[in-house]
Amino acid sequence: MTIDDVARLAEVSKTTVSHVLTGKRPVAPETRARVETAISQLRYRPNGLARSLRTRTTHMVALVIPDITNPFYPLLHRGLEDGLDGDYRTFLCSTDGRPEREREFLEEVADRRVDGVVIDSFTMQHHAAATVPASIPIVRIGTTVVDDPNHDTVHADDENGASAATRHLVAKGHRRIAMIQGPPGAGGARNAGYRRVLEERGLPVDRSLVVSGDWTRPGGTRAAEQLLRLPDPPTAIFCANDLMALGALDACRAHDKDVPGDVAIVGYDDIEAAAMVLPPLTTVSNPAYETGFLAGVLLRERMTGAYRGAPRTATLPCRLVERATS
């Protein structure tokens, strides 16, 4: 069925049918009702490709993230779709944290003529975004986001969140506090928050107590086992995300370490599993939904032309959620 069929059945012009479909021009209520009835009877669906060619928009947004299996991202995705307010559809690109795969995705979404991109990148520098035409707005999110002179940015207050976690462990009497950080070059603000508190409290920053994970549960297990095998192991471990914290819990069980009696553990993100694991995980609440929602709002304003000003940076607060592992 075509727009001509709808126009004939409703006894109106194709232009009137187009106005009803797009909502860009007012149409008399009775006429609109006839057109909508004809659309329903004929089961007409507009040709999305033809509309995209005509309007030079696709109403599609790409969400480029490092790991779709991380429970943080589905909640962020939900927030993004709500922030876009139903006007756009999103599709996911999971990069596995690999720079070459990230670049391939950016090139592909540009070829597919998406209207906008939201990206959480561990590796993207300012110049890497040159793979996306300047006409396609980008909003950057995530642990390694910095104020970008070219794009809007939404991120959590990671440094203060990590400081709150470390300060909590110091208040519990711990002096040998380890950190399982993300991969090299990622999550710098969380690393800085951890170091800042140790320096403020006059505690040594022992390099042997800082190990890198890969944001996954198995990676957290491997990193925690490395810490537990030290001649003088830590009495507390701050993990840069909850998945690695769950892995650290696994390692402590395997080494017959009581948590929090022998080793206290604090995570970051407050994913749903954090409250369900035994013992429930102390963690820092990272506003995933709010990050996605605000990214969607900023991106929609760029795509529709509602905002054409200087790049904006939004920093969302984090808070410590104290449970049983500390």
Side-chain angles (χ1 to χ4, degrees), residues 244-263:
M244 294 193 295
L246 297 180
L249 279 171
D250 295 337
C252 286
R253 292 191 189 98
H255 286 257
D256 294 322
K257 298 290 186 181
D258 178 71
V259 177
D262 297 321
V263 182

Side-chain angles (χ1 to χ4, degrees), residues 3 13-24 54:
I3 194 171
S13 68
K14 288 194 301 182
T15 302
T16 299
V17 176
S18 178
H19 291 338
V20 171
L21 291 170
T22 63
K24 291 183 177 179
R54 185 174 64 253

Side-chain angles (χ1 to χ4, degrees), residues 34-197:
R34 289 208 314 275
V35 172
E36 290 174 344
T37 299
I39 290 171
S40 178
Q41 289 178 357
L42 296 174
R43 297 182 179 180
Y44 169 73
R45 295 185 63 188
N47 187 322
L49 178 59
R51 184 173 64 242
S52 296
L53 291 172
R54 185 174 64 253
T55 63
R56 297 191 177 185
T57 62
T58 61
H59 282 257
M60 294 293 296
V61 167
L63 174 59
V64 184
I65 58 175
D67 183 9
I68 188 56
T69 66
N70 187 328
F72 177 82
Y73 290 109
L75 188 56
L76 184 145
H77 185 202
R78 174 62 184 274
L80 173 62
E81 293 201 325
D82 288 350
L84 292 170
D85 200 26
D87 292 334
Y88 296 84
R89 294 291 177 261
T90 61
F91 64 88
L92 291 170
C93 306
S94 186
T95 68
D96 297 326
R98 291 160 46 196
E100 67 280 4
R101 186 170 172 83
E102 186 176 278
R103 189 171 293 105
E104 289 169 1
F105 272 131
L106 288 174
E107 291 172 351
E108 183 173 346
V109 298
D111 290 342
R112 290 175 180 268
R113 298 180 63 176
V114 297
D115 293 344
V117 175
V118 175
I119 182 168
D120 184 354
S121 170
F122 296 158
T123 59
M124 189 177 84
Q125 304 299 319
H126 299 322
H127 66 272
T131 56
V132 179
S135 59
I136 300 177
I138 296 175
V139 176
R140 297 185 60 176
I141 58 175
T143 61
T144 54
V145 171
V146 295
D147 292 346
D148 195 314
N150 301 308
H151 310 297
D152 292 325
T153 301
V154 180
H155 60 83
D157 190 355
D158 282 332
E159 183 168 349
N160 281 330
S163 293
T166 310
R167 198 174 294 113
H168 167 74
L169 292 170
V170 172
K172 293 293 183 179
H174 296 282
R175 295 297 178 267
R176 284 188 61 77
I177 302 171
M179 180 178 182
I180 300 177
Q181 60 185 11
R190 296 181 190 180
N191 305 344
Y194 161 79
R195 292 193 303 270
R196 186 180 78 190
V197 171

